[in-house]
Amino acid sequence: MSFPNPAASVKLVLLGEAAVGKSSLVLRFVLNDFQENKEPTIGAAFLTQKCTIGERTIKYEIWDTAGQERFASLAPMYYRNAQAALVVYDITKPASFIKARHWVKELHEQASKDITIALVGNKYDLVENDNDDNEESLRKVSIEEGQGLADEEGLLFFETSAKTAHNVNDVFIGIGSKIPDTSASSSSNNASNGPNHEGGRIDLSSGNSSSQPSDSVH
Amino acid sequence: MATISTYLRNFKEPSKDQLTQLFFAIPETPPTIGKADKDEEPERMEISAVLTLSQDASEDPYPGKLYLLPPYLSFASLDRKSVRFTIPLCTIRRVERLNARAGIYALSLSLWHGMKIVVQLTSLRPTADLFCALLRDALKAELQRGQMKAVKGFVKTCYSEMLVSNTEEGKDAAAHKAEADVADPDSIYLGGLGLKFKYPGDPKKLREASKTKLWTTYLKTHGRNLTLLRYPQCTRLVQVGLPNRLRGEMWETLSGSAYLRFSNPGLFERILKENEGRTSTSTEEIEKDLHRSLPEYSAYQSEDGIGALRRVLQAYSFRNPETGYCQAMNILAAAILIYTSEEQAFWLLEVVCDRLLPGYYSPSMHGTLLDQRVFESLVHRCLPVIHDHFTQVDVQLSVASLPWFLSLFINSMPMVFAFRIIDCFFCMGPKVLFQVALAILKINGEKLLQIQDDGGFIHLMREYFSSLGESAHPKSQDPRARAITRFQELLLVSFREFSVITDDTILNERRKFRSEIVTSIESFSKRSAIRNLKTLERFTKDQAGLIYDALFKAVCIEPPPVAPLPPVALLTTKDGTEERPETRIELKTFKVFLSEVCAWARAEKIVSNGFQQRVDREVAEHELIDRLFFFWDTSFRGALSFQDLVSGLNGVMFNDLMENIEWFFNLHDKNKDGYLTKDEVLTLSESLLFIFRYEIGDAYLGAVSRFMSNAFEYGDALLPRPESSDGDGDIPHIESNQPYMNLATFRMVVLADEILESFFETDFSGTFRLEPVPMMEIPNSNQGLLGGLWHNLVSDDNRKIFQKVTDEIGKTIGKHQVLYRPAIGKFTTLEEPKARESLLTPTMRRSASKASLDASESTPDVSTPPTVPTLSTSSSHLTVDQPGPASAISPSEFSPMPSMFQAAANAAALMERTPFAIDDAKDDDEESDDGSELADDGVMDEVDAFLEAHDSGLTEAERELAKDLINAEPVK
Ligand SMILES: Nc1nc2c(ncn2[C@@H]2O[C@H](COP(=O)(O)OP(=O)(O)OP(=O)(O)O)[C@@H](O)[C@H]2O)c(=O)[nH]1
Ligand SMILES: [Mg+2]
């Protein structure tokens, strides 16, 4: 069998606190739709969407994860082998930005070494009409803070609105352009390295960390 | 943030009694009148019996076991599934001993709803007599509690009463009444949001009227709500789906949550009232999700539904602060509320979260993870080909199956179908989820063998779920076969082909994988705790891991009090940064922690008794340790976090000589004014003595005594003198609590002594050591009888007993020896201490007081050669009887995911949830009820499809006897 111009697959995972709008971003990107009351994601949802960037077509395999703290222990199951990640926070919720910082840290430690990460501050529509001298702004995380974290950690950075579609496609195009061609298609070759047959498959530990006990400090 | 939970370790397997109680859904602590008569707890007893239902000759007699579990009476047939009941004793109106054939011992029980059951006690006479006596006592006790009255009020809230009473008044009136009833203000039966907002699904398609009729008949003869007797027909009727209006009540009855509601009247309202206006992390999380729970259902677009959902979820979180709120509970509660009142939903939620799906929604979600592991193992056993394929292409089952279990399929398939599975789940228990999940894989077996990655798996499942309403055999010639939907097929496969999966299977599998899951959760929390430290200070990650291990062990041994999570708002600091709840330890736990990492904070006895040499470790008590605790509590919370411990240790473990001296000085300078008072100098000396308490020889003792005399000598000498007085005047008087000695002086005094100097240079930091903590084993319950026995033998207690015995023997044969291991262990021989000559310059000496001259006289001979320090013995030599260090579990590496091009995969993605069929909702009564023969209706066909041969296991003669008993006369 031969396939006409197979699109390169990119596994992308969304992480971030509950109700920041992860599922809404995906819904906007995939179906160009928005729902006011989106149900919380249980475990994770899986969707796919093709995205053409210049000559290339990328097929995103999107894992949209649950945001509540206690689901965090499931996340490794979804971000293993991911080539891209969106770490999402809500620009009106400072706590969600702290959580985003944690996710970035975790990804750098546990996920694939060459993962492309975009930091996304969502719900831009809520602050869109702010003037500079507006005192009652809903915005609680400034662009500078977001950009600062992104620069520090080497991430792409966007402020988006799933509601108005502001910047949403740009995130995916941005990620797509940053992912090298080879890396995108290599995902299918990696399989030959052989899957892990050892032990339980619900393994909370993932990736390349090692927690061997070390020598004691004197 | 780090929340350390040792809950998983403290898990105990339920005892046989507890399992029985669980099986019969009997509330955990039967409410007794007062705590005072606790010692007079009513006795429990079980006895072999044959159960016969008097009025209904169509039901066979069933042999089984009758359990007296006050305040309940329960029965289960031999196979534990055909026939069973749990009835509150207060619903038994009359008990009679029957006058039957000689040697037969039988009781006739008249129940609240008018049924009569006969139980023939087949044990020996004295046993049967005892049972009767106990039953009589238990009944009497219930009578005294006045519970009979409570029954009356309770049954009024049940829809089944309405159903049955209507039919009793004449069939024609029934339909009318049912209709009128909705508006009838006198009717007090409880119902859900569906009463007002309609039920999901098309009632005609659901064959509501026929099902209701079948149930009415059943409930009339077999009891209802509190007195329901479950015969095979009951299970079969549940399997074809409960009628909407009866659904809530049957869930409650079948799951046993009705007993909770019955025995805790008014509690739900009380919890809400007592906690009115209270906010917590849970209430904030609940608030976020209220509008995100089944938003398509119209009730949840109005305050009716939202308010109900809020109250149920909040009440649960207030009552169970440790579980609080977990996403998925909102969907579950929202679904339940369509069929039940708030109070009923509250108790149902409790039964689901505590008993049916234990640990699913807890902060670690260990129950969810465990059951996913169990499911995988069952797939391996029952569907090995699929399992092998999944392993080969590296697809994880749980990416699809986890939400099935966590939200009882509500999120995965159209709701009308999910509710049918939930019907079975409440009736037959959690094994249903496994049976259905296995059947889903089995039915899709062929296609599953084609999938190549996680995505393909999820796609396939989603397609399958959206086709559940279609015919399973669309091409069949037989119209009856064509009429079977895929959903019906699913249930048939679940209960026919996977009937081998029993409650015991699940329990055994859970036992098998428990410690594996606990280990992986614990190592996950450890990694995130380390990652989330604000700073590692100068430690490596591995070293921080060792600190964490010591902390974890301390928390296991001396659990910190559980504080309810404070509301998020309280945690928000001024700059808008938010802190997360984290585990903080108090002084008691800190002592255990410190004893793990610091040699002088423990007493280590090296005991040799001729049989073995071992080290007994005890946690030391001293003011120094308390002082250290408050010294590290830099945010003055009276409790230390993981970060506090890391930073605290950082402050002491990397110090050089000067830093150590300063650190020690600061530790004792309570008011941080840069001066020690005289009292503090004394305390500091005591601290030194405490640290040196097990050192061999007098060297350190001497050093401390020299330190003290030097300290006061220099201290006095350096005190500022009033201008007026002459050089040789008296020492100015100074209160013992006034600033006395600054750091420079202290440093000088310390450096005056070689032993102290070397102590502060290296030895002190060396008393802190991060070593792999010999972790306690996770209690592994996966043992047979032998394993269990062995485990008992090697339990801590028994080890202690064993050691005590060997010690005693050792003493009698004169081989018992106890040595305290020194914290520093520099001196191994009793060498004479030595010190440098006083640093006091001749001029200073001249100005010093007489007292200080006296002190200088006691300075020992300076010519003593310095002692050669001997290295302390490494601790590992001595830990002979301790279990080896639990090496951290190395995370198995995930290998890259294979991703093959999928021809079938199309670009358009589907929504993650199949939209549910609420738009079909019509009123129940639409369906014409006139003369539709039940057989034609097909419900009975479906019922028959579930018919399993249920041989009661009685011989013909026994059956005869049982039937005879129905007509027997009571004993006069
Ligand atoms: N105003 C505004 N609201 C948004 C935006 N994106 C999402 N929302 C709303 O925020 C809520 C949460 O959105 P979700 O997409 O479900 O959030 P999530 O991150 O997937 O949440 P979890 O699945 O619980 O982790 C919904 O009520 C959305 O309607 C946005 O850009 N602007
Ligand atoms: Mg979501």
Side-chain angles (χ1 to χ4, degrees):
Chain A
M1 275 228 274
S2 71
F3 302 103
N5 185 24
S9 294
V10 169
K11 177 171 172 179
L12 179 145
V13 62
L14 284 99
L15 300 165
E17 205 181 59
V20 295
K22 298 179 294 298
S23 303
S24 301
L25 283 169
V26 177
L27 187 63
R28 173 61 74 192
F29 175 57
V30 173
L31 294 178
N32 196 18
D33 189 13
F34 179 76
Q35 287 172 7
E36 204 56 59
N37 296 309
K38 191 90 190 62
E39 280 181 19
T41 310
I42 306 301
F46 177 79
L47 299 97
T48 56
Q49 172 69 305
K50 276 187 185 155
C51 179
T52 308
I53 305 159
E55 297 284 274
R56 288 166 67 200
T57 301
I58 287 179
K59 184 179 155 217
Y60 280 113
E61 295 176 344
I62 303 170
W63 287 95
D64 168 25
T65 64
Q68 201 188 9
E69 182 73 45
R70 58 188 78 185
F71 284 82
S73 65
L74 305 177
M77 184 161 85
Y78 304 109
Y79 66 61
R80 64 181 193 136
N81 310 319
Q83 293 132 286
L86 300 192
V87 175
V88 187
Y89 65 94
D90 176 342
I91 57 175
T92 68
K93 295 265 157 55
S96 72
F97 186 63
I98 294 178
K99 186 72 211 172
R101 207 182 270 279
H102 287 165
W103 278 121
V104 172
K105 246 176 154 183
E106 174 162 352
L107 284 173
H108 278 323
E109 261 175 44
Q110 306 285 336
S112 330
K113 279 272 167 294
D114 51 356
I115 190 167
T116 306
I117 305 175
L119 181 68
V120 178
N122 190 39
K123 308 204 182 173
Y124 179 72
D125 58 289
L126 297 176
V127 304
E128 213 164 8
N129 302 320
D130 283 2
N131 332 331
D132 284 345
D133 47 78
N134 189 345
E135 277 171 27
E136 276 303 292
S137 173
L138 283 173
R139 183 189 273 279
K140 293 282 150 46
V141 183
S142 68
I143 299 192
E144 291 73 25
E145 279 175 276
Q147 188 66 57
L149 175 60
D151 292 345
E152 221 172 278
E153 302 279 349
L155 323 170
L156 296 169
F157 177 64
F158 300 89
E159 286 200 345
T160 61
S161 165
K163 193 168 181 173
T164 63
H166 171 75
N167 245 350
V168 174
N169 283 337
D170 308 60
V171 175
F172 290 88
I173 291 169
I175 287 230
S177 347
K178 209 179 161 196
I179 287 184
D181 235 336
T182 46
S183 147
S185 45
S186 70
S187 68
S188 38
N189 306 336
N190 285 349
S192 54
N193 295 353
N196 162 35
H197 295 278
E198 247 177 86
R201 309 195 352 104
I202 315 163
D203 197 335
L204 303 176
S205 50
S206 92
N208 29 39
S209 88
S210 143
S211 43
Q212 300 287 323
S214 73
D215 293 331
S216 49
V217 178
H218 298 284
Chain B
M1 85 74 234
T3 22
I4 300 168
S5 167
T6 53
Y7 164 80
L8 296 176
R9 286 186 170 246
N10 303 334
F11 175 82
K12 285 214 178 63
E13 286 295 333
S15 65
K16 193 171 162 263
D17 271 359
Q18 284 170 319
L19 285 174
T20 308
Q21 195 164 323
L22 283 173
F23 178 79
F24 289 113
I26 289 169
E28 208 152 287
T29 39
T32 38
I33 324 132
K35 291 258 151 63
D37 42 1
K38 189 121 196 204
D39 41 1
E40 244 187 80
E41 229 168 59
E43 258 186 84
R44 305 172 154 214
M45 186 174 173
E46 57 181 77
I47 191 167
S48 298
V50 177
L51 171 74
T52 318
L53 184 59
S54 296
Q55 286 102 328
D56 197 332
S58 66
E59 296 289 10
D60 285 334
Y62 280 86
K65 268 208 167 129
L66 190 64
Y67 297 79
L68 178 64
L69 305 163
Y72 295 89
L73 183 72
S74 298
F75 175 86
S77 57
L78 290 178
D79 64 358
R80 309 255 299 173
K81 70 174 188 198
S82 297
V83 177
R84 55 186 276 198
F85 65 69
T86 300
I87 53 178
L89 289 171
C90 51
T91 61
I92 301 176
R93 286 183 146 167
R94 199 186 164 92
V95 181
E96 287 166 324
R97 170 94 196 276
L98 291 180
N99 197 2
R101 299 180 203 171
I104 301 298
Y105 201 122
L107 300 177
S108 158
L109 311 179
S110 312
L111 303 184
W112 180 273
H113 288 110
M115 322 89 81
K116 232 182 210 178
I117 54 176
V118 174
V119 283
Q120 180 199 335
L121 307 181
T122 50
S123 300
L124 291 174
R125 182 66 185 254
T127 318
D129 277 336
L130 176 62
F131 187 87
C132 285
L134 290 177
L135 177 63
R136 191 181 318 120
D137 291 348
L139 283 168
K140 229 183 245 161
E142 282 303 280
L143 200 65
Q144 276 162 4
R145 277 175 63 203
Q147 281 298 95
M148 316 314 190
K149 276 186 219 100
V151 178
K152 201 168 176 185
F154 185 86
V155 299
K156 264 195 208 151
T157 63
C158 297
Y159 179 68
S160 57
E161 299 298 326
M162 222 273 305
L163 263 186
V164 172
S165 74
N166 276 345
T167 46
E168 272 161 8
E169 280 166 32
K171 269 200 164 169
D172 302 329
H176 276 293
K177 252 245 153 142
E179 217 166 309
D181 188 79
V182 187
D184 183 0
D186 287 342
S187 139
I188 57 155
Y189 74 82
L190 300 172
L193 295 163
L195 283 176
K196 182 169 169 192
F197 295 91
K198 309 270 185 278
Y199 297 102
D202 173 359
K204 199 159 199 167
K205 259 200 197 149
L206 294 173
R207 289 173 303 205
E208 284 288 299
S210 315
K211 285 178 183 173
T212 308
K213 214 178 220 172
L214 285 166
W215 272 108
T216 311
T217 313
Y218 184 87
L219 297 172
K220 221 181 334 186
T221 48
H222 294 76
R224 49 201 172 269
N225 47 67
L226 292 177
T227 68
L228 182 76
L229 310 175
R230 298 197 207 172
Y231 275 80
Q233 173 80 346
C234 173
T235 309
R236 266 179 257 139
L237 285 176
V238 170
Q239 284 169 337
V240 297
L242 288 162
N244 285 329
R245 293 218 179 158
L246 194 58
R247 186 167 256 153
E249 180 192 323
M250 288 308 293
W251 282 354
E252 172 176 58
T253 307
L254 294 167
S255 71
S257 77
Y259 309 124
L260 282 167
R261 181 163 73 88
F262 174 61
S263 52
N264 297 288
L267 184 63
F268 170 69
E269 294 294 339
R270 224 163 36 243
I271 291 173
L272 285 177
K273 198 143 183 214
E274 279 163 14
N275 293 284
E276 207 175 329
R278 208 176 114 196
T279 56
S280 65
T281 314
S282 298
T283 58
E284 309 218 348
E285 285 175 335
I286 290 167
E287 227 42 49
K288 262 189 206 170
D289 286 349
L290 286 178
H291 290 272
R292 307 170 73 204
S293 318
L294 308 188
E296 319 89 305
Y297 186 62
S298 55
Y300 297 116
Q301 292 151 18
S302 78
E303 190 46 37
D304 284 341
I306 298 294
L309 190 58
R310 176 185 291 119
R311 286 185 290 275
V312 170
L313 290 173
Q314 283 193 352
Y316 181 87
S317 80
F318 292 139
R319 183 170 153 89
N320 306 276
E322 285 188 45
T323 300
Y325 166 73
C326 176
Q327 287 187 329
M329 279 167 67
N330 62 326
I331 292 172
L332 192 58
I336 292 175
L337 276 169
I338 298 178
Y339 299 97
T340 71
S341 69
E342 292 170 31
E343 190 188 10
Q344 289 173 306
F346 169 74
W347 292 114
L348 267 169
L349 201 60
E350 173 142 321
V351 163
V352 172
C353 300
D354 290 5
R355 178 153 54 76
L356 296 173
L357 304 177
Y360 266 46
Y361 307 102
S362 75
S364 65
M365 298 184 77
H366 62 273
T368 302
L369 294 166
L370 180 55
D371 274 6
Q372 287 306 300
R373 186 68 187 81
V374 168
F375 177 53
E376 194 195 304
S377 144
L378 292 178
V379 172
H380 185 51
R381 229 162 72 188
C382 305
L383 305 165
V385 182
I386 294 178
H387 184 269
D388 290 351
H389 176 71
F390 274 42
T391 314
Q392 201 189 341
V393 297
D394 191 25
V395 166
Q396 296 203 77
L397 276 169
S398 35
V399 296
S401 61
L402 187 135
W404 301 349
F405 286 77
L406 202 55
S407 59
L408 305 182
F409 293 100
I410 300 166
N411 248 27
S412 309
M413 55 175 75
M415 287 192 58
V416 277
F417 298 132
F419 284 129
R420 300 258 320 255
I421 294 176
I422 296 173
D423 292 343
C424 300
F425 168 77
F426 281 132
C427 178
M428 293 142 73
K431 65 169 187 242
V432 168
L433 300 181
F434 292 92
Q435 290 170 327
V436 171
L438 285 166
I440 290 170
L441 297 186
K442 163 129 203 203
I443 290 168
N444 291 285
E446 295 282 308
K447 287 180 187 158
L448 284 173
L449 294 181
Q450 308 299 314
I451 60 129
Q452 298 297 330
D453 55 27
D454 292 338
F457 178 33
I458 291 205
H459 258 293
L460 178 62
M461 290 297 99
R462 203 182 286 148
E463 262 166 40
Y464 172 67
F465 288 135
S466 60
S467 75
L468 283 176
E470 294 164 17
S471 167
H473 313 283
K475 296 194 184 104
S476 169
Q477 298 295 316
D478 182 356
R480 279 178 172 240
R482 266 207 309 278
I484 295 178
T485 64
R486 288 192 169 192
F487 181 74
Q488 284 166 327
E489 175 194 47
L490 174 60
L491 285 194
L492 280 176
V493 174
S494 304
F495 301 135
R496 281 219 176 131
E497 302 193 24
F498 294 103
S499 59
V500 288
I501 312 288
T502 63
D503 292 334
D504 283 341
T505 320
I506 306 295
L507 278 178
N508 285 334
E509 293 285 309
R510 281 180 184 165
R511 239 173 255 148
K512 201 152 63 183
F513 295 110
R514 211 187 141 77
S515 61
E516 179 185 320
I517 293 298
V518 170
T519 310
S520 95
I521 289 176
E522 283 176 356
S523 78
F524 177 84
S525 347
K526 175 174 160 182
R527 271 186 296 126
S528 39
I530 295 167
R531 184 165 46 241
N532 290 330
L533 282 173
K534 279 190 202 83
T535 160
L536 275 172
E537 308 282 7
R538 282 169 283 181
F539 293 106
T540 64
K541 271 194 189 139
D542 289 334
Q543 289 166 341
L546 295 171
I547 300 174
Y548 181 91
D549 289 344
L551 171 61
F552 188 83
K553 185 172 178 186
V555 170
C556 283
I557 293 174
E558 196 65 70
V562 261
L565 300 180
V568 174
L570 282 183
L571 289 170
T572 314
T573 47
K574 274 153 257 136
D575 54 344
T577 52
E578 219 169 276
E579 268 189 51
R580 284 163 193 286
E582 65 181 337
T583 300
R584 291 182 162 268
I585 57 169
E586 297 186 327
L587 182 58
K588 240 163 102 187
T589 316
F590 174 72
K591 286 178 181 163
V592 182
F593 166 79
L594 198 68
S595 77
E596 286 297 325
V597 296
C598 174
W600 44 262
R602 60 183 172 242
E604 277 181 323
K605 283 189 285 188
I606 304 165
V607 182
S608 329
N609 57 23
F611 294 92
Q612 43 153 221
Q613 192 187 47
R614 66 166 194 274
V615 178
D616 284 351
R617 208 180 245 206
E618 275 160 28
V619 176
E621 297 272 346
H622 192 265
E623 200 201 329
L624 172 63
I625 297 169
D626 305 13
R627 186 176 291 275
L628 190 59
F629 176 81
F630 293 108
F631 188 55
W632 284 358
D633 181 16
T634 46
S635 47
F636 307 107
R637 295 196 197 213
L640 301 180
S641 67
F642 180 37
Q643 179 72 63
D644 290 335
L645 297 174
V646 169
S647 300
L649 285 171
N650 176 67
V652 65
M653 288 185 69
F654 299 94
N655 291 350
D656 62 16
L657 173 65
M658 290 306 164
E659 287 164 337
N660 265 333
I661 294 173
E662 186 175 349
W663 184 90
F664 211 75
F665 178 89
N666 289 336
L667 177 63
H668 291 84
D669 176 13
K670 211 167 180 184
N671 61 357
K672 311 233 178 314
D673 63 351
Y675 282 91
L676 298 182
T677 64
K678 273 188 180 170
D679 277 350
E680 284 168 345
V681 172
L682 284 175
T683 316
L684 187 144
S685 312
E686 276 168 27
S687 298
L688 286 173
L689 284 175
F690 170 70
I691 293 173
F692 299 146
R693 69 196 182 285
Y694 296 134
E695 300 309 314
I696 296 164
D698 297 334
Y700 286 102
L701 209 63
V704 176
S705 88
R706 280 192 307 280
F707 165 80
M708 274 162 72
S709 50
N710 282 346
F712 287 115
E713 183 185 338
Y714 304 161
D716 285 351
L718 293 173
L719 277 182
R721 272 148 226 281
E723 287 290 306
S724 59
S725 72
D726 304 314
D728 51 285
D730 284 341
I731 330 150
H733 178 72
I734 183 158
E735 293 294 333
S736 61
N737 58 0
Q738 281 177 338
Y740 179 67
M741 176 184 278
N742 66 11
L743 176 60
T745 317
F746 175 69
R747 198 183 286 139
M748 197 164 69
V749 176
V750 166
L751 293 177
D753 189 282
E754 193 179 331
I755 291 182
L756 286 184
E757 180 187 341
S758 93
F759 167 69
F760 280 110
E761 181 149 33
T762 50
D763 302 345
F764 180 61
S765 298
T767 58
F768 290 87
R769 261 163 188 271
L770 300 180
E771 286 164 333
V773 175
M775 279 302 233
M776 295 145 298
E777 282 166 63
I778 297 174
N780 192 348
S781 38
N782 177 28
Q783 293 138 342
L785 183 64
L786 257 181
L789 274 176
W790 172 241
H791 195 73
N792 280 342
L793 248 176
V794 298
S795 77
D796 266 3
D797 278 352
N798 288 327
R799 198 178 296 153
K800 271 186 201 134
I801 292 168
F802 174 70
Q803 287 168 352
K804 212 166 163 185
V805 170
T806 50
D807 283 357
E808 287 307 314
I809 300 174
K811 273 178 202 160
T812 54
I813 60 175
K815 288 222 163 171
H816 185 77
Q817 189 195 8
V818 178
L819 288 175
Y820 281 96
R821 186 194 287 171
I824 303 167
K826 200 166 210 167
F827 299 102
T828 51
T829 51
L830 301 171
E831 258 172 294
E832 265 308 292
K834 38 104 219 83
R836 288 181 194 144
E837 198 178 1
S838 172
L839 287 183
L840 278 186
T841 58
T843 42
M844 278 179 81
R845 201 176 279 244
R846 225 170 292 131
S847 68
S849 66
K850 287 184 190 103
S852 66
L853 283 172
D854 291 342
S856 67
E857 274 167 18
S858 69
T859 313
D861 190 1
V862 213
S863 61
T864 317
T867 334
V868 182
T870 324
L871 281 178
S872 65
T873 33
S874 147
S875 61
S876 56
H877 291 176
L878 295 163
T879 52
V880 279
D881 64 333
Q882 280 173 346
S887 51
I889 292 75
S890 64
S892 44
E893 300 246 338
F894 277 127
S895 46
M897 180 188 71
S899 147
M900 286 244 311
F901 184 78
Q902 283 171 265
N906 54 21
L910 288 154
M911 299 288 299
E912 63 264 44
R913 191 161 83 79
T914 330
F916 85 105
I918 189 62
D919 36 352
D920 291 342
K922 290 183 199 146
D923 222 31
D924 290 358
D925 309 315
E926 235 173 71
E927 186 182 1
S928 61
D929 201 16
D930 45 346
S932 64
E933 276 300 295
L934 290 178
D936 287 355
D937 194 36
V939 175
M940 283 315 289
D941 273 1
E942 219 178 312
V943 172
D944 288 341
F946 287 102
L947 227 161
E948 279 177 41
H950 54 282
D951 181 12
S952 66
L954 289 179
T955 63
E956 203 46 49
E958 286 166 333
R959 208 175 295 230
E960 278 297 295
L961 168 66
K963 298 246 154 145
D964 268 6
L965 287 173
I966 297 171
N967 306 315
E969 289 292 313
V971 181
K972 293 286 159 345

